[in-house]
Amino acid sequence: MLDGINMVVYPGEKVGLVGETGCGKTTTMKTALNVLPMPPGQIESGQIHFKGQDLLAMNGREISRIRGREVTMIFQDPMAALNPVFTVEEQFSPVIKHAANARLSKKEVRARAIAALEEVALADPERLLKAYPTQLSGGMRQRVCIGMALATTPQLLIADEPGTALDVTIQAQVLRLIHDLVEDLNTSIILITHSLGVVRETVDRVYVMYAGSVVEMAPTPKLFANPLHPYTQGLMESVPRLSGGGVSQGIPGRIPDYMDPPAGCRFHTRCPHVMDICSRQKPPVFRIDGEDGEVDGVHEVTCFLYDGEHGAAATTGEVTT
Amino acid sequence: MNLLIFIGKRIFHAIFVILGLAIVIFAVARIMPGDPVRLAVGSRAPQWVVDNMREQMHLNDPIPVQFGYWLRDAAQGDFGISLVTRRNVAEDVREFFPATLELALFALTISLTGALLLGTIAARHKDKWIDNIIRIFSYLGIVTPSFVFAIIFILIFAFALDWLPAIGRLSNGVEPPPRVTGFYTIDSLLIGDLATFWDAIRHLILPALALAMASMAQEARITRSSMADNLTKDYIASARALGVSEGLIMRRFLLKPSLIPTVSIVGMDFAAGLGNAFLVELIFNWPGLSRYGMNAMLSKDLNAISAVILSFGIVFVLVNLLVDILVARLDPRISLSAGGGS
């Protein structure tokens, strides 16, 4: 169950969504695009606005004007994201036809597909179009997926852990590739990742997610300089450092299933600063820094430690552990 | 190219399967208790007749040589004469087999169409009331023997409602069309006789439906689960995210991968259908080879049994060959790995 997720992405901005594996990052983004399989998925309440229009209120025809033209998504596992029983061309063509929103000749569609594959640095695109996904390596598949997504020239690209299914060198290449292509097109991007390193290098602003809820949001430099939420702090400490200290312990306890989260603050079962109120009441969002409408200054946290009355307790050291 | 290699390999395999089947049939025919010569000439025939017959049937030769003779004759369609009716077995097979094949293929068409329809509806409305109804129907279809359906259908559609005929391939007084394929539907169309064609179709519906129920239920279940499973796959979500229209996703990107498990079991279902056809043919008084074969078995008519088993065996192998090719066409992973391996 996802709850308390309030995300905004501005034009041309690069936003990161970070959290442990299984905390609902991918589900959030699939829901945002309304591509989550339903059933079993279900949206109880909420709104998803793109340029002022509510995606959830749209019918299939309306939403298809946005998906694949203005917004699209690159999925985490390129093997699963490509249909195994169709050639690359068979999967590419409808995407290009849809994105073009105009009648294209077969030749023109093909030419655009080839151009898109060259764009993602794939050799011999002619032959590649005739290949089935099983005939491609993991890196090639990931590039094909990126090529397809970028061939739609979206204004917002959601990239779900691009390259994590691949080895590290290729992962870096893939990230660079997305980064460069996005710079060229001035596309906004939501980068889903569990890696703080990737976040630090690539995005302007970060949302930290825990068990299906956003717990903290800040511009990247502020988040790394001054992480506020105990979970974010724990996450930062869990990163192994090169200089001294060895491998850290990580956060004690296990991430709860977001399908059946604990009451109150979802992190209270593992929080080192847990208070009475945390298990009873869901914490609201506290604005720590920045003004309304300010794009890159706002720092928000969803934790009672930063509430006026309870927060005071935190600073005077009366924290129950 | 890969597909051609795959098909070539499969045909090669099929030849060996049929040869193996021939050996088994021959062996069983020889192991069966009772002297085939005595069975043929009767118990009161004098010994010299028996000896002559024995020589004539090559029964004094070594077994492998006997098999050679048997195989040579069988390949030419010569299975000898029926030990019971004294008719030429090959002619009997030629007469009765098309009736069974027409019935079985018609049943196959019904079951596959129905299964895809029901399976798709159930998958799209998974866990809703319509899905539950289809699932209950599927279970009923699987556990109910085809002869029960046959009797129920006759009672409802032939006797109570009088919509459809209950017995035979054609109504009384309707002349069978000149024989080309032996399928009354096709043969009547070939001479443009629509009245006979319609009559043949009407006679086909009830027995084919009774025969189709079990496989339709089974195939609908498999279609439902593979479709429902594939609907949650990332490649469907990805296609949606990339703006591919819902209609195209359903018709192409969901249907093709979901068809693979369904088509794969069609061959098996077809074989089961040929077996079940015996009771259905009996009930609908359908002059088919299943009924003929069962009668042959009951009267220990070895030549006829051999011919029936081999005929069914060859059709079964051919249908499975066709299914394999179809599955390989649907799923490139199969033909690709076959081509790479050689």
Side-chain angles (χ1 to χ4, degrees):
Chain A
M1 201 184 148
L2 304 173
D3 189 21
I5 297 173
N6 194 357
M7 289 181 70
V8 183
V9 183
Y10 298 97
E13 194 189 23
K14 290 194 274 293
V15 167
L17 179 60
V18 66
E20 285 168 274
T21 306
C23 75
K25 303 180 298 272
T26 304
T27 312
T28 307
M29 287 301 118
K30 282 186 180 170
T31 310
L33 274 183
N34 205 356
V35 296
L36 194 71
M38 291 190 217
Q42 196 184 331
I43 298 176
E44 299 222 322
S45 66
Q47 290 172 326
I48 299 155
H49 286 278
F50 179 75
K51 289 197 204 163
Q53 297 164 285
D54 190 352
L55 260 60
L56 291 181
M58 287 182 179
N59 63 29
R61 192 179 289 266
E62 288 167 332
I63 203 166
S64 75
R65 272 190 226 126
I66 292 182
R67 286 200 304 229
R69 287 193 191 140
E70 303 197 66
V71 187
T72 195
M73 179 162 171
I74 298 170
F75 285 73
Q76 177 174 8
D77 178 358
M79 188 64 235
L82 290 172
N83 198 318
V85 302
F86 289 94
T87 62
V88 171
E89 184 166 19
E90 285 167 328
Q91 302 185 52
F92 228 117
S93 298
V95 173
I96 286 182
K97 281 183 202 157
H98 174 74
N101 194 18
R103 280 207 170 277
L104 294 178
S105 69
K106 250 188 165 169
K107 249 181 157 171
E108 181 68 26
V109 171
R110 215 180 139 78
R112 288 195 188 189
I114 288 172
L117 289 175
E118 278 168 350
E119 197 70 22
V120 289
L122 279 165
D124 205 355
E126 301 256 356
R127 202 175 55 88
L128 211 62
L129 283 179
K130 293 199 195 75
Y132 287 96
T134 34
Q135 291 170 292
L136 308 179
S137 72
M140 287 163 99
R141 284 178 212 144
Q142 181 71 268
R143 279 160 199 269
V144 168
C145 290
I146 296 170
M148 277 208 268
L150 293 171
T152 67
T153 57
Q155 292 173 345
L156 171 62
L157 175 70
I158 302 169
D160 187 359
E161 312 228 11
T164 34
L166 311 172
D167 56 73
V168 189
T169 45
I170 298 175
Q171 185 184 352
Q173 283 175 22
V174 164
L175 279 170
R176 172 115 324 260
L177 185 69
I178 294 177
H179 191 265
D180 291 350
L181 292 169
V182 163
E183 290 280 91
D184 291 348
L185 298 165
N186 194 32
T187 302
S188 309
I189 184 166
I190 300 177
L191 187 72
I192 305 177
T193 181
H194 60 258
S195 157
L196 288 171
V198 169
V199 162
R200 193 167 200 166
E201 279 168 37
T202 36
V203 305
D204 307 325
R205 208 152 50 84
V206 189
Y207 287 87
V208 181
M209 197 166 179
Y210 180 79
S213 293
V214 168
V215 296
E216 185 165 2
M217 185 277 284
T220 313
K222 281 194 185 179
L223 187 84
F224 281 90
N226 183 26
L228 294 177
H229 197 282
Y231 174 64
T232 318
Q233 292 164 356
L235 207 58
M236 302 250 179
E237 277 159 21
S238 311
V239 178
R241 278 167 225 280
L242 283 178
S243 51
V247 180
S248 79
Q249 293 297 306
I251 305 169
R254 286 174 50 212
I255 186 166
D257 182 5
Y258 71 82
M259 294 308 295
D260 184 23
C265 172
R266 292 183 178 188
F267 188 58
H268 84 260
T269 51
R270 299 167 73 190
C271 185
H273 308 296
V274 68
M275 299 176 285
D276 288 346
I277 190 170
C278 297
S279 57
R280 282 186 276 113
Q281 209 175 317
K282 222 161 58 179
V285 176
F286 297 101
R287 170 84 47 90
I288 303 303
D289 201 1
E291 295 298 318
D292 262 341
E294 203 181 334
V295 175
D296 51 5
V298 179
H299 192 163
E300 288 174 345
V301 62
T302 311
C303 179
F304 284 118
L305 285 176
Y306 303 93
D307 190 0
E309 36 187 300
H310 304 285
T315 46
T316 52
E318 289 175 28
V319 176
T320 43
T321 49
Chain B
M1 195 54 222
N2 280 322
L3 192 62
L4 286 180
I5 296 171
F6 175 80
I7 293 173
K9 276 184 169 179
R10 277 305 153 116
I11 291 176
F12 190 68
H13 289 167
I15 291 170
F16 276 94
V17 172
I18 291 173
L19 200 66
L21 182 65
I23 293 173
V24 170
I25 293 170
F26 174 80
V28 168
R30 288 294 175 275
I31 290 165
M32 285 275 275
D35 182 352
V37 177
R38 271 289 167 203
L39 268 175
V41 297
S43 53
R44 280 178 297 173
Q47 189 57 38
W48 64 267
V49 176
V50 174
D51 290 342
N52 270 358
M53 192 75 171
R54 195 177 289 280
E55 192 60 37
Q56 205 183 327
M57 288 168 82
H58 309 294
L59 289 176
N60 295 327
D61 292 326
I63 292 285
V65 176
Q66 287 187 33
F67 179 65
Y69 281 118
W70 185 85
L71 198 63
R72 188 197 63 194
D73 293 343
Q76 292 166 347
D78 179 6
F79 290 94
I81 55 164
S82 162
L83 303 180
V84 178
T85 62
R86 307 273 152 195
R87 281 160 52 95
N88 187 324
V89 169
E91 258 169 42
D92 281 350
V93 169
R94 225 165 291 146
E95 188 185 331
F96 294 124
F97 204 14
T100 294
L101 272 186
E102 189 177 31
L103 179 63
L105 288 175
F106 202 73
L108 181 76
T109 315
I110 293 177
S111 69
L112 205 53
T113 321
L116 290 181
L117 226 74
L118 293 176
T120 311
I121 293 170
R124 293 216 58 178
H125 302 94
K126 195 177 170 220
D127 298 329
K128 305 257 174 63
W129 62 270
I130 190 156
D131 177 31
N132 291 332
I133 288 178
I134 291 173
R135 277 155 82 187
I136 291 169
F137 159 80
S138 298
Y139 285 120
L140 284 179
I142 292 167
V143 298
T144 313
S146 53
F147 68 85
V148 175
F149 281 120
I151 292 166
I152 293 173
F153 289 161
I154 287 179
L155 285 176
I156 297 176
F157 297 107
F159 290 153
L161 298 170
D162 199 20
W163 286 351
L164 292 164
I167 51 166
R169 295 180 76 187
L170 289 172
S171 302
N172 274 336
V174 178
E175 277 296 305
R179 185 193 167 93
V180 182
T181 59
F183 288 20
Y184 285 180
T185 47
I186 294 176
D187 288 352
S188 58
L189 274 187
L190 284 177
I191 57 162
D193 184 354
L194 287 179
T196 309
F197 171 74
W198 181 235
D199 195 54
I201 290 276
R202 279 167 49 86
H203 280 79
L204 266 172
I205 291 175
L206 287 187
L209 204 58
L211 200 54
M213 291 304 275
S215 41
M216 174 158 47
Q218 183 72 9
E219 288 156 18
R221 269 170 54 79
I222 288 181
T223 308
R224 173 193 174 273
S225 63
S226 75
M227 269 206 174
D229 185 36
N230 286 337
L231 258 175
T232 65
K233 290 273 168 71
D234 262 1
Y235 56 73
I236 297 297
S238 175
R240 283 183 177 144
L242 288 163
V244 181
S245 75
E246 200 61 23
L248 195 61
I249 290 177
M250 289 297 146
R251 274 199 317 280
R252 265 172 81 67
F253 294 112
L254 177 66
L255 186 63
K256 194 178 169 189
S258 306
L259 271 180
I260 295 166
T262 311
V263 173
S264 307
I265 62 154
V266 161
M268 287 296 154
D269 279 348
F270 187 78
L274 288 180
N276 287 335
F278 151 66
L279 283 166
V280 173
E281 284 178 1
L282 205 64
I283 293 168
F284 286 95
N285 198 21
W286 193 264
L289 194 65
S290 289
R291 202 178 62 166
Y292 174 84
M294 191 54 74
N295 287 335
M297 281 178 212
L298 292 175
S299 53
K300 288 187 187 156
D301 188 348
L302 271 182
N303 287 348
I305 293 172
S306 307
V308 170
I309 295 177
L310 200 62
S311 305
F312 278 148
I314 289 171
V315 167
F316 178 58
V317 169
L318 286 180
V319 166
N320 275 287
L321 181 68
L322 217 66
V323 164
D324 282 349
I325 293 171
L326 211 60
V327 170
R329 286 272 306 161
L330 287 171
D331 191 348
R333 287 167 292 191
I334 290 173
S335 53
L336 285 175
S337 61
S342 62

